[in-house]
Amino acid sequence: MSEWAIIVHGGAKDIPPGQEQAHRDGCLAALRAGQAILEGGGSALAAVEAATRALEDDPTFNAGYGAVVNAKGEVELDAAIMDGKTLAVGGVAAVTTLRHPVSVAAAMLPERPVLLVGDGAEAFARDHGGEFCAPSDLLVERVGDPGCDTVGCVALDRYGDIAAATSTGGLSGSHPGRVGDSPLPGCGLYADNAVGGVSLSGEGESLIRTTLAARLMRALEALPPGKAIDAALTYLARVGGEAGLIVIDTHGRLDWGHNSARFAVAHASAGQPAQAFVNRAEDARKDPS
Ligand code: GLY
């Protein structure tokens, strides 16, 4: 079993050749933020929050600063975090003024609600030290279709605890108030120390209709990560849609896969250096079955 492991993703989407390095660099920077915490003896929860905050800060990715806009030209953000030790979940959805939605989701972990939306989520953030900004502060100028989709992270710490996180601006041009898979446990993420942790990216409606994170977790109970990912992607074909999936299992084995054109990922574990990719075929990692 690996002493610690971490994997981050920057979204299942097409990535133009000129933007590949920015995606690798952004994923590596986020990975290092989480890796430093794990190497210092910190928790998986702290690591996934730190890595996801870094991705929310990077306008290369559709989360936090740099999120895509809905049909009204407005940013609406969703995020969640899950603790595999306690099965606690915090999620926020359709928020417009939170600089780091994943940190507000993390502040919800000890609280009773699992998901808060809109004004209610922002009121919670005000009472729990959330960082606010003007909605316009989240926008960046873009030429052409930015592509879209979620960022996320899964980590295993040296205490055997697993955590997962997601953050997204949703799908470009979607209906105001639309919420995707990212803040929904069992759809966009899940973590359970007994099985592993997963964070997904893709077309939220398809991931919700297939409860794809739950299916991936179920597959992980019997299969190594690579084969569990293949099984989940096969099931997704029932409704169609693009997705990318990252996994760390309870033994510290990590893997990733996608049916989208590209999927930016970085990973590291004890004894394995940090590496970043934009396509699973680039990664020499073999399924550790
Ligand atoms: N996967 C992000 C979304 O559909 O909102």
Side-chain angles (χ1 to χ4, degrees):
M1 172 158 174
S2 183
E3 190 185 340
W4 57 265
I6 182 166
I7 182 166
V8 307
H9 74 78
K13 58 187 179 182
D14 203 0
I15 302 172
Q19 293 180 26
E20 288 179 348
Q21 199 53 43
H23 282 75
R24 287 194 192 95
D25 291 348
C27 284
L28 273 177
L31 186 87
R32 290 197 175 105
Q35 181 178 344
I37 289 169
L38 296 173
E39 288 179 324
S43 70
L45 267 179
V48 299
E49 181 185 350
T52 306
R53 283 176 65 94
L55 293 162
E56 288 175 340
D57 275 335
D58 187 336
T60 306
F61 304 109
N62 173 28
Y65 175 57
V68 299
V69 296
N70 64 17
K72 283 173 68 180
E74 296 167 348
V75 168
E76 289 183 312
L77 306 175
D78 306 333
I81 190 166
M82 182 157 185
D83 178 357
K85 182 178 183 181
T86 63
L87 306 188
V89 187
V92 296
V95 294
T96 60
T97 62
L98 298 184
R99 189 67 189 79
H100 284 293
V102 73
S103 291
V104 178
M108 288 172 59
L109 286 169
E111 309 290 337
R112 184 174 173 78
V114 163
L115 179 63
L116 293 173
V117 304
D119 292 347
E122 291 175 0
F124 177 89
R126 257 189 300 283
D127 292 343
H128 292 80
E131 294 167 62
F132 284 84
C133 63
S136 58
D137 291 344
L138 297 167
L139 296 172
V140 294
E141 295 237 345
R142 283 204 174 91
V143 179
D145 183 348
C148 44
D149 212 55
T150 313
V151 303
C153 180
V154 180
L156 164 74
D157 64 31
R158 62 177 57 176
Y159 315 105
D161 293 327
I162 296 173
T166 51
S167 185
T168 189
L171 300 186
S172 181
S174 58
H175 196 289
R178 176 256 184 203
V179 175
D181 58 294
S182 305
L184 305 179
C187 298
L189 78 165
Y190 204 82
D192 178 347
N193 279 4
V195 179
V198 304
S199 176
L200 277 58
S201 171
E203 295 174 36
E205 286 70 14
S206 294
L207 304 190
I208 293 168
R209 288 167 65 201
T210 53
T211 55
L212 204 65
R215 292 213 167 253
L216 181 53
M217 290 293 292
R218 178 87 56 90
L220 264 187
E221 289 175 357
L223 297 171
K227 290 195 167 51
I229 288 167
D230 290 346
L233 286 172
T234 298
Y235 190 80
L236 180 67
R238 193 169 162 193
V239 300
E242 293 192 340
L245 306 85
I246 60 172
V247 172
I248 299 176
D249 76 1
T250 190
H251 309 294
R253 299 180 296 187
L254 62 80
D255 213 329
W256 57 292
H258 55 108
N259 66 358
S260 51
R262 302 281 164 83
F263 186 43
V265 162
H267 57 69
S269 54
Q272 295 289 330
Q275 297 178 83
F277 310 93
V278 294
N279 191 317
R280 179 63 180 82
E282 293 176 349
D283 186 349
R285 165 179 293 273
K286 294 281 180 285
D287 190 332
S289 52

